[in-house]
């Protein structure tokens, strides 16, 4: 009997909390992109630095592969790191590229982090 | 009532948890940005330099072509002023084409009249044109002149139209040196005055 009473008291509270949580998540500014949309919006923001990144290569050929995170909600590019195994450009070029993209922010952060793997390649 | 609460409870919890969990996992994607070296890109070909605008005259093949007749006073080698502009353009062509080492100014007439007079008239008119060019800065050593009378018609001497066409001054390049920039283009044909 006591258990039933407790249950009747708690359940509406939990139910309301669940509804509120759901509504809160739905009404926040964050959106849920699919992988391709996420890639495109990230590409468009890193492309704003395309000229700078190109200048990092200084006319020399090579490839820089960078892993970075697009933070959920804020949309900020962070934790950018050169993948040395996949890159063949010099370390200086790699760090230059990292410096250019770090801190960029996409419009309307996503509900999820974006785990990005971008390659910049300069060839003849 | 309890049953109703139970259903709503489950929906709410599922909604909340579902949204919460779907928002958690990172989403992976990758992309490649390619740059091309400028050296490897085809360079636009520079526009060919247009031939200098010479107005009424142009070097074409082995002639300097003029777009109107050089006119002379009747039965005279005196050039009418109306033709000075054409000859000034011939001067420009000669100046712009130093590879033209020798230009033959040739006078022609129709078959009308005596052969002797026509030969003399064509010779005098060609010489008058050559003198005009010399007086406007063209080296005399680059030119010769001759009169061919009616011997080299380009039209029918039986019609007035043909005879008019046959009365002409021709500018023929007889010696062309190595082109210096401009390609050797030829001489000029003039329809000499009547």
């Amino acid at each position: 009997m006591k258990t039933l009473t407790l249950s009747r008291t708690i359940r509406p509270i939990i139910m309301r909390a669940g509804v509120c949580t759901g509504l809160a998540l739905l009404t926040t500014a964050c959106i849920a992109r699919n992988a391709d949309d996420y890639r495109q919006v990230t590409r468009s923001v890193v492309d704003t630095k395309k000229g700078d990144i190109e200048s990092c290569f200084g006319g020399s050929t090579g490839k820089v592969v960078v892993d970075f995170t697009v933070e959920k909600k804020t949309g900020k590019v962070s934790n950018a790191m050169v993948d040395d195994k996949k890159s063949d450009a010099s370390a200086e070029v790699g760090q230059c590229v990292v410096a250019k993209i770090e801190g960029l922010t996409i419009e309307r952060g996503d509900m999820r982090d974006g785990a990005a793997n971008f390659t910049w390649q300069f060839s003849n | 009532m309890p049953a109703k609460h139970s259903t709503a409870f489950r929906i709410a919890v599922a909604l909340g948890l579902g949204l919460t969990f779907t928002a958690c996992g990172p989403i992976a994607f990758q992309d490649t940005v390619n740059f091309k070296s400028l050296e490897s890109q085809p360079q636009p070909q520079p526009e060919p330099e247009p031939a200098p605008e010479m107005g009424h005259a142009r070097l074409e093949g082995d002639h300097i072509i003029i777009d109107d007749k050089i006119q002379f006073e009747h039965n005279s080698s005196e050039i009418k002023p109306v033709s000075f502009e054409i000859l000034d353009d011939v001067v420009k062509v000669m100046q712009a084409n130093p590879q033209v080492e020798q230009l033959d100014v040739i006078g022609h007439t129709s078959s009308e009249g005596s052969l002797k007079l026509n030969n003399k008239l064509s010779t005098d008119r060609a010489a008058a044109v050559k003198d005009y060019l010399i007086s406007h800065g063209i080296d005399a050593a680059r030119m010769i002149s001759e009169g061919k009378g009616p011997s080299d018609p380009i039209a029918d001497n039986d019609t007035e139209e043909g005879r008019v066409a046959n009365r002409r001054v021709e500018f023929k390049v007889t010696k062309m040196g190595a082109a210096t920039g401009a390609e050797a283009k030829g001489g000029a044909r003039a329809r000499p005055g009547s």
Side-chain angles (χ1 to χ4, degrees), chain B residues 33-68:
Chain B
V33 183
N34 284 305
F35 298 111
K36 282 284 180 187
S37 167
L38 282 177
E39 291 170 7
S40 66
Q41 293 174 12
Q43 298 296 313
Q45 295 297 317
E47 288 288 322
E49 194 173 318
E53 183 57 57
M54 298 301 172
H56 301 286
R58 66 185 186 281
L59 186 58
E60 193 174 300
D62 63 349
H63 279 79
I64 294 175
I65 305 296
I66 56 177
D67 64 4
D68 203 353

Side-chain angles (χ1 to χ4, degrees), chain B residues 61-81:
Chain B
D62 63 349
H63 279 79
I64 294 175
I65 305 296
I66 56 177
D67 64 4
D68 203 353
K69 292 174 71 113
I70 295 173
Q71 296 184 40
F72 299 88
E73 298 294 343
H74 184 64
N75 277 335
S76 164
S77 60
E78 186 179 341
I79 302 167
K80 285 186 177 179

Side-chain angles (χ1 to χ4, degrees), chain A residues 42-104:
Chain A
T42 304
R43 171 66 180 265
S44 66
V45 77
V46 299
D47 272 355
T48 63
K49 296 290 181 182
K50 198 172 181 179
D52 291 340
I53 293 171
E54 189 173 4
S55 67
C56 287
F57 285 87
S60 60
T61 58
K63 181 171 70 174
V64 174
V65 181
V66 180
D67 293 314
F68 58 93
T69 301
V70 181
E71 294 178 356
K72 64 185 177 187
K73 296 182 183 176
T74 66
K76 184 179 176 184
V77 172
S78 62
N79 302 321
M81 291 181 68
V82 176
D83 186 333
D84 292 326
K85 290 180 181 174
K86 294 179 183 174
S87 302
D88 59 14
S90 70
E92 289 76 19
V93 174
Q95 288 311 308
C96 178
V97 173
V98 165
K100 299 301 178 191
I101 64 167
E102 188 82 42
L104 292 173

Side-chain angles (χ1 to χ4, degrees), chain A residues 8 11-12 14-15 18-19 21-23 25-26 33-35 38-39 42-43 47 50 53-54 57 59 70 72 111-124, chain B residues 1-41:
Chain A
R8 282 181 178 175
R11 277 189 179 179
I14 295 174
M15 183 184 73
V19 170
T21 304
L23 289 176
L25 285 167
L26 282 175
R33 298 176 173 91
N34 62 35
Y38 217 150
R39 177 194 63 77
T42 304
R43 171 66 180 265
D47 272 355
K50 198 172 181 179
I53 293 171
E54 189 173 4
F57 285 87
V70 181
K72 64 185 177 187
M111 294 169 71
R112 291 173 290 179
D113 281 334
N117 173 267
F118 270 49
T119 301
W120 284 271
Q121 189 162 291
F122 199 96
S123 59
N124 283 321
Chain B
M1 199 62 177
K4 189 181 176 185
H5 275 186
S6 178
T7 303
F9 170 79
R10 286 180 187 136
I11 291 170
V13 170
L15 181 63
L17 291 178
L19 285 168
T20 301
F21 285 126
T22 55
C24 284
I27 184 166
F29 52 90
Q30 59 184 27
D31 204 346
T32 300
V33 183
N34 284 305
F35 298 111
K36 282 284 180 187
S37 167
L38 282 177
E39 291 170 7
S40 66
Q41 293 174 12

